Amino acid sequence: MKTNVLKLSIAALCCMGLAASCAQKAAVVESQELTTLNTVGNPYLPLWEHIPDGEPYVFDDPDNPGKQRVYIYGSHDNLKDAYCGRDQVVWSAPTDDLSHWRYDGIILTVNRNARGEVFDSAATADVLYAPDITFVTDSTGKKTYYLFPNDQTGYRNALIAKSDRPDGPFEVCNWSKKNPNQVEGIYGFDPAVFVDDDGRVYGYWGFEHSYAAEIDPATMCTVKPGTEMIDGMVSGRNEEGIFSFFEASSIRKIKDKYVFIYSRFTKDGEFGLPTSNYNLAYAYSDQPLGPWTYGGTIIDARGREINEKGDTIASAVPDGNTHGSICEINGQWYVFYHRQTGTNEYARQAMVAPIKVTVEEGEGGKVEITEGEYNSEGFALAGLNPFERHSAGIACWLTGPTPAVHEWPNNKFSGSYVEVSYGNDKNFDDPYALACNTNRVVNNTDGSIVGYKYFNLNESKGKNNLKLSLNLIPAGIDGTIQLMLDRPWTSQKGKLLGSFELKADMPQEATEAVFDLPELAKLSGKHAIYFVFKSNTKQKSLCTLLDFAFQYSE
C-alpha cells in the first residue's frame, strides 16, 4: 500500500522543532520533498518573509534574453516593533512558474551620504517605506531602472536610486549639490512614478491628501519646467468626495486609460462594516493627471463574509493598512496586496488574488475591475492541491467567539489568529525549508473558526480511503474540532465531514489528528474547508495548528 502524503514522523519532527525554536535544526532526511514546503497559495512568498506594499512588475530577465520575470518591490518588515526596515529587497519568479519565488537580494541600503560618509557613528541606515520603480529606454535600447524607496528621513524623503538591472543593486542619483546629506526632488509619502509611451514622466504621492505632477525626465525627481504640481488630485480621507484617498499611490496604464490604485478609507457602515483603510480602490482617467472617475474596491483584506446570523463580518484581521497594485501575467490580471499577521501591524505578508479588468477604449470609456477575493489559493486558480502539505498559516478565515478588536497598531483576538514567524539566519539559503516556511495558527478557543478557500477536489475525486491529516499541539483542554466543507455551519449548507476529540490528558506535543473523508471522493471542483472549535472551557486555546495534508491509499 502506498500512502500519498508526507510522512507523519518527518512532519511531526519538523513541527516540533518549529514549535520549540526555528533556530533548531529540523529532522535530516534524504528526500527534498520531505524537507521543503512549496505552495502557490497565499501568502505567495515563504511564510517567514514579510514584504508589504508590494508593487508587481513584469520585466525582461537580464540573465535570460527573451524571458521575463515578475518582480515584487516592497518595503521589508524586519524592524519587528515598527513599520518596514532599513533595507529593501526584491523577490522574483519566472512568468511561467509562479509557485517558486527567488530571493534576488538587497537592492538598496541608505547609510552613507553623497561623499560616502556614514550618517552617524553607528552607520545607521534610513528606514525605507513603500517603494515604486520605473524605467526609461535610451536611443540604443538600453534600460535604466529608477527606484523610489520612500525614504523616511525628512530631508531625504524624495530620494531616488538607479540601476541597469531590475534586481539592482541601486545607487542614489539625486544627491543635493549644496548638502551631501540631502537630496533634491518633490516626492512625498508613498511615491508612484510612471513613464508614458511618449516618454513623459508623471509622479503621484500623498498621505490623506493627494499630490501629482509631471516630472522633468532630466532629473526624474523635480517638476517639469513650465508645469505645476497638482495639489489635491483626488479627494482625501477627510475631504468631501467619494475617493477618500488615504495613501499607497500606484499608477498603471491599460490600453488608453490611466488607472490610479490607492488605499482608501471606507465610510462608516460602508459594506456593513466600520470605517477602514484595509482595502485598495481604483480610479481611472483618459489623462495621466485626471480628471478621475472613481471605480470601486479591488480588494478588501478584512475578508468580508456573512456569519450564521446573516450579518456582514470581517472573517480575517478586522483592520490594518494595505498597499499594492495590479499586474497582468500571461493574460491573467492579479491584485497584489498584503495582510497583517500576529497581534500588530508590523509583520505583514504578501498576498495576491485574480481579478478581471475590462477597458472601454475611447474618450470617456469605462474601466471595470472586479473585486478580488481574500482567500488561501493565491496563484492556484483551480484551487490548492489537497495532497500537498499546507501550513496552517495560509488560513483566510480566522474568527473567534467575539469579533477581533483593532486598536492601532494592535489587534486583540478572542479566537484564532496567525502567529508571526521570522525563521532564522538560514532563511535566504533555503527559503522553502519546512523547518521555517510555516506559520502556526494559535489561540483556537471555543467558538473559533479557521478556514481555507479553496481546494481543487478534482484531484481527490475517486480516490480510496481519503483522509485529512492535521498536525497540532494539544493545550490540555477537553474539546472537539469539527471539519466542515463549504461553510462553517450546516444552516448555510455546510457539511460536517468529521470531528476529532481533544483530551485534557493528551501530551502537549506534535500530534496527528485524522479525519476520515469517505464522501469526499464523490466531489469535484473547488471547495472550502473549515476547522470549528468547540469546548466547555471558554477563552482558552484548545490547541495550536501546525500543518495539514489530505491523503489517500492505492
Side-chain angles (χ1 to χ4, degrees):
M1 177 179 291
K2 176 184 177 183
T3 301
N4 291 268
V5 68
L6 299 179
K7 295 293 186 182
L8 171 64
S9 58
I10 298 298
L13 283 170
C14 289
C15 293
M16 289 170 67
L18 176 66
S21 170
C22 206
Q24 297 179 10
K25 292 184 178 180
V28 178
V29 293
E30 295 180 358
S31 171
Q32 182 73 5
E33 180 185 18
L34 298 181
T35 59
T36 62
L37 181 64
N38 291 1
T39 178
V40 291
N42 268 330
Y44 59 88
L45 296 180
L47 299 175
W48 50 262
E49 180 65 299
H50 300 279
I51 305 293
D53 311 319
E55 283 282 350
Y57 288 96
V58 175
F59 289 143
D60 292 336
D61 185 340
D63 299 318
N64 293 284
K67 300 290 186 179
Q68 292 187 313
R69 298 183 70 84
V70 184
Y71 293 85
I72 297 298
Y73 301 87
S75 47
H76 200 189
D77 275 354
N78 55 17
L79 292 180
K80 300 184 181 180
D81 60 356
Y83 293 118
C84 307
R86 300 184 186 278
D87 61 22
Q88 285 184 340
V89 303
V90 163
W91 289 78
S92 69
T95 54
D96 57 358
D97 181 10
L98 300 176
S99 65
H100 196 91
W101 290 74
R102 183 183 75 193
Y103 173 64
D104 288 330
I106 296 174
I107 59 171
L108 182 67
T109 300
V110 183
N111 65 346
R112 294 179 180 272
N113 66 12
R115 296 172 181 165
E117 303 162 337
V118 295
F119 296 129
D120 59 33
S121 59
T124 305
D126 292 352
V127 174
L128 307 176
Y129 272 21
D132 196 18
I133 192 170
T134 192
F135 68 85
V136 297
T137 307
D138 68 16
S139 59
T140 69
K142 177 185 177 183
K143 294 182 174 66
T144 300
Y145 296 84
Y146 288 89
L147 181 72
F148 307 85
N150 198 5
D151 192 302
Q152 286 303 294
T153 299
Y155 38 86
R156 291 192 286 273
N157 282 163
L159 183 145
I160 63 174
K162 66 179 181 180
S163 175
D164 293 336
R165 296 173 56 97
D167 54 359
F170 288 80
E171 294 185 1
V172 179
C173 60
N174 65 331
W175 290 114
S176 169
K177 296 179 178 61
K178 298 179 180 179
N179 188 322
N181 293 316
Q182 298 183 10
V183 298
E184 298 177 345
I186 193 173
Y187 303 118
F189 197 78
D190 284 0
V193 182
F194 165 69
V195 178
D196 209 344
D197 302 330
D198 58 6
R200 297 170 72 175
V201 184
Y202 301 90
Y204 312 79
W205 65 94
F207 179 79
E208 297 190 329
H209 184 80
S210 67
Y211 299 89
E214 183 170 356
I215 302 299
D216 186 349
T219 67
M220 296 296 288
C221 63
T222 57
V223 175
K224 181 179 179 179
T227 67
E228 295 182 356
M229 181 182 70
I230 297 175
D231 185 345
M233 186 183 74
V234 296
S235 58
R237 172 192 179 187
N238 298 311
E239 300 162 357
E240 291 187 8
I242 193 172
F243 298 99
S244 196
F245 170 85
F246 180 59
E247 59 182 0
S249 295
S250 181
I251 189 74
R252 296 291 186 271
K253 187 177 184 180
I254 309 174
K255 296 183 178 179
D256 66 342
K257 296 294 180 286
Y258 300 86
V259 181
F260 180 62
I261 299 104
Y262 63 99
S263 171
R264 176 177 180 265
F265 248 102
T266 60
K267 307 299 183 184
D268 193 35
E270 191 174 357
F271 303 119
L273 292 172
T275 181
S276 172
N277 63 301
Y278 204 19
N279 64 87
L280 293 178
Y282 77 100
Y284 60 91
S285 175
D286 293 325
Q287 303 296 328
L289 297 177
W292 300 91
T293 300
Y294 178 69
T297 297
I298 306 176
I299 190 74
D300 189 335
R302 296 174 295 183
R304 293 197 314 273
E305 265 289 357
I306 302 298
N307 67 11
E308 191 172 18
K309 297 178 180 179
D311 300 323
T312 300
I313 62 168
S315 68
V317 174
D319 205 357
N321 60 32
T322 197
H323 189 147
S325 196
I326 62 176
C327 187
E328 186 180 27
I329 307 170
N330 297 327
Q332 172 66 57
W333 282 94
Y334 297 91
V335 56
F336 290 72
Y337 64 107
H338 66 243
R339 73 171 185 178
Q340 320 288 333
T341 60
T343 57
N344 59 41
E345 295 190 11
Y346 304 142
R348 298 163 291 179
Q349 293 177 315
M351 302 281 283
V352 68
I355 55 175
K356 293 181 180 180
V357 179
T358 305
V359 174
E360 178 186 339
E361 296 187 74
E363 186 175 355
K366 294 181 179 180
V367 175
E368 295 183 347
I369 302 178
T370 61
E371 183 175 348
E373 181 183 33
Y374 182 95
N375 61 35
S376 303
E377 67 184 32
F379 291 111
L381 304 188
L384 295 166
N385 184 342
F387 300 115
E388 291 181 347
R389 182 158 293 277
H390 299 281
S391 169
I394 69 168
C396 61
W397 183 308
L398 295 149
T399 56
T402 58
V405 176
H406 181 75
E407 296 177 352
W408 184 88
N410 300 311
N411 287 296
K412 297 181 179 180
F413 300 95
S414 66
S416 308
Y417 67 89
V418 176
E419 182 183 63
V420 176
S421 171
Y422 290 102
N424 61 34
D425 59 0
K426 299 295 184 181
N427 286 341
F428 299 106
D429 298 331
D430 193 2
Y432 290 94
L434 178 60
C436 292
N437 186 30
T438 189
N439 285 137
R440 311 192 313 177
V441 175
V442 298
N443 202 44
N444 300 299
T445 59
D446 170 68
S448 293
I449 299 171
V450 178
Y452 302 83
K453 305 175 190 175
Y454 299 92
F455 285 94
N456 181 0
L457 296 191
N458 291 331
E459 298 286 338
S460 58
K461 188 174 177 63
K463 296 293 191 294
N464 298 320
N465 300 318
L466 275 168
K467 302 177 185 296
L468 185 143
S469 170
L470 169 65
N471 285 319
L472 55 82
I473 301 175
I477 294 174
D478 289 330
T480 302
I481 306 174
Q482 294 182 336
L483 179 62
M484 301 291 297
L485 182 75
D486 292 331
R487 295 295 291 172
W489 309 284
T490 56
S491 61
Q492 293 184 359
K493 299 183 179 179
K495 183 176 180 60
L496 177 63
L497 295 177
S499 61
F500 181 81
E501 297 297 321
L502 290 164
K503 298 297 183 182
D505 59 357
M506 282 182 168
Q508 295 182 35
E509 58 189 33
T511 301
E512 181 188 30
V514 176
F515 299 82
D516 291 318
L517 307 173
E519 297 185 20
L520 213 63
K522 304 174 185 177
L523 301 177
S524 60
K526 295 203 303 186
H527 294 266
I529 65 167
Y530 302 87
F531 298 113
V532 180
F533 297 86
K534 296 182 180 295
S535 175
N536 291 327
T537 302
K538 311 301 180 183
Q539 300 179 357
K540 289 188 177 181
S541 181
L542 280 68
C543 63
T544 293
L545 302 185
L546 302 175
D547 53 61
F548 63 92
F550 291 76
Q551 63 185 44
Y552 66 96
S553 57
E554 59 184 12

